[in-house]
Amino acid sequence: MHAVQPHAADPTPVPDVGIVLVSNGPGELTTWVRPVAQRLQRRLLTPESQASLALYLVLVPCPNGTGREHRAAAPWGLFERITPANRFWSLLLRPGRFGPWPRQGVVVFLGGDQFWSVLLSARLGYRHLTYAEWVARWPRWNDRIAVMGPRAASRLPARWRSRSRVVGDLMADLSEAARSEQPLPPGEWVALLPGSKPAKLRVGVPFLLETADRLAARRPQCRFLLPLAPTTTVEELLRQAGAANPIAARYGAGMPELSPDGDALITPAGTRILLELRSPAHAVLSQCAMALTTVGANTAELAALGVPMLVLVPTQHLHVMQAWDGLAGVLARLPLLRWCFGVVLTLWRLRHRGYLASPNISAARAVVPERVGPITPAQIAAETADWLASPDRLQGMRDDLHSLRGRAGAVAALTDLVEELLPAAAAVARPDS
């Protein structure tokens, strides 16, 4: 993979065709970008292709991003070049500064603001495909639109519907990826997902550590798993659990220690929390009886895997829970307005929120519980223990989540659409794969 530095003379031949995947945050990278890139690589980057192709990843500015997504994607080895979000505007102004681009290509929107991919496709002179989970906002400037389901398709103006195709839910393929040889040790496993952004970790880490201690006291058979987000480090978890985070002092777990082999956090009460450092963690998550999670793309991942969950938004820390998207979220993070505007904004969003978890939004009903308010670890531990003691109720939630999931095959269908937009020379014989 080429470095994302201003480009100097490069003797490497420029590929004939480029496929540029555009995305934003860690959830979209794991659940959309990676499986699509892997499929494209298997299907198109083959000796049978009559043209040389290359995959590129462009990350776009987004309040839901961490700024470290490019580091998370680099070890995958899937991309010719990765452009970080903080270089996006430079890329639009002077694309050649970061390396040569093929003369022909396709830009594929897989997360963020759809307008950024419209701009990029126009700047590069490439064709454009949008994956629309709920709505395609700029159909006029899309050559093709891959919609998740009938709901998104129905929201397209009639004149643009001929450009669309229902491909299904990219999340639906996660269950296939989860079938791997990575069994967890026996036990009643509960997953803890505190988030990936600093604002969420600041609250989520101490809150969930105390919750784990209290739940372990109620149900000693419980075992705990914490999948590390690809943009987070173990050091960041420890920092948010300690004195560097003033919120941590309001919770009773105390500062955990890292186990000698580095694979677990151990709280002062003796609760052991296994760390899953590999990403994505679908194989181990799919084996959990339940998950305690913040809002975000992780709720869609858990739903696709059929993992029952409680979705937690502790509103007693509104001044740091300003991880909203859009212009309002940007204003809430400005130094002079951050505290006052952020609190007002968050209170308004919570009062007019509708549903926050992805499966609830999709179903337009409460499939999984959302606990929004000045909740405490004691309350959440007690509720989690009640759910775990009621396997029939848990199975009912699991069945509801499975019923929301579309048929597998969306990744393959999206890849087919990308191939249709490529120049004829880039086509390959279609094997069953």
Side-chain angles (χ1 to χ4, degrees), residues 232-415:
T232 306
T233 64
V234 175
E235 291 72 24
E236 175 70 8
L237 289 181
L238 292 171
R239 183 161 54 250
Q240 299 295 0
N245 177 11
I247 289 177
R250 300 177 61 175
Y251 293 92
M255 180 68 178
E257 294 182 353
L258 190 62
S259 64
D261 51 7
D263 70 340
L265 297 179
I266 303 172
T267 70
T271 306
R272 181 181 177 89
I273 301 169
L274 180 67
L275 298 173
E276 176 52 64
L277 305 181
R278 290 165 291 191
S279 180
H282 302 149
V284 288
L285 274 174
S286 64
Q287 300 169 58
C288 291
M290 197 166 184
L292 306 179
T293 179
T294 59
V295 294
N298 45 347
T299 63
E301 289 182 66
L302 292 167
L305 295 169
V307 180
M309 70 189 89
L310 290 183
V311 180
L312 313 177
V313 183
T315 59
Q316 60 266 40
H317 307 294
L318 287 177
H319 60 293
V320 295
M321 294 298 291
Q322 298 159 10
W324 307 114
D325 51 8
L327 177 61
V330 174
L331 291 174
R333 283 177 284 276
L334 292 176
L336 296 179
L337 299 177
R338 173 164 43 197
W339 195 92
C340 180
F341 186 82
V343 170
V344 172
L345 167 71
T346 305
L347 283 170
W348 183 88
R349 284 288 296 267
L350 291 174
R351 289 188 56 147
H352 301 82
R353 63 183 177 88
Y355 292 115
L356 297 175
S358 176
N360 294 346
I361 295 170
S362 179
R365 62 185 177 90
V367 176
V368 301
E370 298 180 2
R371 298 297 173 243
V372 181
I375 54 178
T376 67
Q379 293 169 334
I380 298 306
E383 183 173 2
T384 304
D386 287 343
W387 277 99
L388 293 172
S390 305
D392 290 343
R393 292 177 66 210
L394 272 184
Q395 186 59 47
M397 194 194 305
R398 192 175 292 111
D399 291 342
D400 281 347
L401 292 172
H402 283 305
S403 71
L404 292 174
R405 194 178 66 212
R407 292 179 299 174
V411 172
L414 184 68
T415 302

Side-chain angles (χ1 to χ4, degrees), residues 125-138:
Y126 288 2
R127 305 188 80 183
H128 187 211
L129 167 67
T130 288
Y131 175 67
E133 188 177 19
W134 307 115
V135 60
R137 301 189 182 281
W138 309 98

Side-chain angles (χ1 to χ4, degrees), residues 82 146 189:
I82 299 174
W189 285 90

